[in-house]
């Protein structure tokens, strides 16, 4: 493998990691998050970290698919590529505008307009909104992302591995995917979510609960052992 492509939310992006001036700069994040440490552990020379703070699973899926399509379209060897994904919680989504595509938490948008955010109230508010943006819908779509991305990589011969960074534990998604499509999850970290792992082991985090550099290193070691 010559290239590692990683995607996820703020926990993969490296939010809160400070540089020497106390800023969260791009270069500091790049060299101090788990994708970089993982690439070093596995002797992969090129690392691409496409994560974004506050990202939704929709963004993770869309951007990763786009990267894979461009990779194959340019005639690059799929066997040179390793995809590693840290999924986030399913209540986030994306909205499009004339200025681009943005990851959002729908419930947060509703709160800004003083609208109800619980599922019962959402259903009363608007049936179409309930259909598209409740947790049950987000969960269904996230399960589809998980299944479709691993199938795409398997079909193309791309090495793939993923884990739950933030959200319900892996065994929950195992059950969801089994019930919906009678499929088994493989190539996933199944012990716990990364967030669970951090809190259970009291690993270092910053003020707003994002992993510190030491915690990123530990996670990279954990994933390295799982992959090897």
């Amino acid at each position: 493998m010559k290239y590692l492509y990683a995607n996820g939310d703020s926990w993969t992006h490296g939010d809160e990691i400070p540089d020497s001036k106390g800023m969260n700069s791009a270069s500091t994040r790049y060299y101090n998050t788990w994708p970089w440490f993982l690439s070093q552990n596995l002797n992969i020379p090129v690392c691409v970290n496409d994560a974004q703070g506050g990202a939704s699973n929709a963004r993770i899926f869309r951007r990763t698919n786009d990267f894979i399509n461009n990779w194959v379209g340019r005639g690059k060897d799929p066997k040179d590529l390793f995809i590693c994904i840290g999924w986030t919680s399913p209540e986030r989504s994306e909205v499009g505008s004339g200025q681009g595509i943005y990851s959002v938490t729908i419930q947060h948008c509703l709160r800004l307009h003083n609208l109800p955010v619980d599922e019962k109230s959402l259903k009363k508010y608007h049936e179409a909104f309930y259909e598209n943006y409740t947790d049950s819908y987000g969960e269904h779509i996230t399960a589809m992302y998980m299944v479709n991305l691993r199938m795409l990589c398997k079909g193309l011969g791309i090495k793939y591995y993923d884990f739950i960074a933030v959200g319900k534990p892996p065994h929950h998604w195992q059950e969801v995917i089994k019930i919906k499509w009678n499929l088994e999850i493989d190539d996933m970290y199944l012990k716990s979510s990364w967030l669970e792992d951090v809190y259970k082991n009291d690993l270092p985090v910053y003020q707003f609960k994002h992993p510190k550099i030491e915690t990123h290193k530990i996670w990279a070691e954990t994933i390295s052992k799982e992959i090897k």
Side-chain angles (χ1 to χ4, degrees):
M1 297 177 292
K2 299 178 181 178
Y3 294 80
L4 167 64
Y5 174 89
N7 210 336
D9 62 3
S10 58
W11 279 48
T12 298
H13 183 247
D15 282 25
E16 292 193 82
I17 295 177
D19 61 18
S20 59
K21 298 179 180 179
M23 304 295 289
N24 184 239
S25 64
S27 60
T28 299
R29 289 194 306 269
Y30 179 80
Y31 290 109
N32 289 287
T33 46
W34 68 262
W36 170 256
F37 296 130
L38 179 62
S39 69
Q40 299 305 292
N41 292 345
L42 300 177
N43 296 314
I44 300 176
V46 180
C47 173
V48 177
N49 186 343
D50 199 18
Q52 183 183 75
S56 65
N57 289 323
R59 180 191 185 273
I60 295 169
F61 179 77
R62 174 178 57 82
R63 296 277 300 185
T64 305
N65 265 271
D66 192 49
F67 185 89
I68 293 171
N69 291 341
N70 280 312
W71 184 274
V72 175
R74 291 171 182 168
K76 295 184 178 181
D77 190 348
K79 292 183 175 58
D80 287 339
L81 183 60
F82 174 35
I83 303 287
C84 195
I85 303 297
W87 298 105
T88 190
S89 50
E91 76 277 3
R92 298 175 180 178
S93 188
E94 285 192 315
V95 294
S97 72
Q99 296 179 327
I101 301 175
Y102 301 92
S103 293
V104 297
T105 301
I106 298 301
Q107 285 83 345
H108 176 65
C109 293
L110 290 176
R111 288 191 183 98
L112 292 177
H113 294 282
N114 296 315
L115 293 172
V117 297
D118 63 281
E119 189 163 314
K120 184 177 179 180
S121 297
L122 285 177
K123 189 171 184 179
K124 291 180 179 178
Y125 175 70
H126 197 291
E127 189 69 31
F129 191 92
Y130 176 80
E131 174 69 20
N132 286 285
Y133 294 117
T134 57
D135 288 346
S136 58
Y137 176 81
E139 185 173 271
H140 176 78
I141 294 300
T142 292
M144 287 180 58
Y145 294 154
M146 292 178 176
V147 169
N148 290 350
L149 194 53
R150 61 190 357 100
M151 284 186 171
L152 173 63
C153 289
K154 185 175 182 180
L156 291 170
I158 295 172
K159 184 173 179 58
Y160 178 83
Y161 195 83
D162 63 357
F163 60 91
I164 306 300
V166 177
K168 294 180 180 178
H171 65 78
H172 170 81
W173 295 104
Q174 275 186 312
E175 293 170 5
V176 169
I177 291 171
K178 181 69 175 178
I179 291 170
K180 287 183 180 297
W181 303 295
N182 195 34
L183 294 172
E184 300 286 346
I185 281 185
D186 56 1
D187 301 322
M188 175 180 268
Y189 184 77
L190 296 173
K191 295 182 178 67
S192 64
S193 70
W194 186 16
L195 183 147
E196 286 179 314
D197 196 73
V198 167
Y199 291 156
K200 179 178 63 179
N201 295 296
D202 197 26
L203 298 177
V205 295
Y206 294 106
Q207 179 182 358
F208 298 107
K209 309 303 182 184
H210 291 103
K212 288 191 174 184
I213 296 171
E214 309 96 284
T215 303
H216 278 274
K217 288 181 179 179
I218 292 170
W219 189 246
E221 287 286 348
T222 299
I223 296 300
S224 298
K225 291 176 183 176
E226 290 291 314
I227 292 168
K228 292 178 180 179

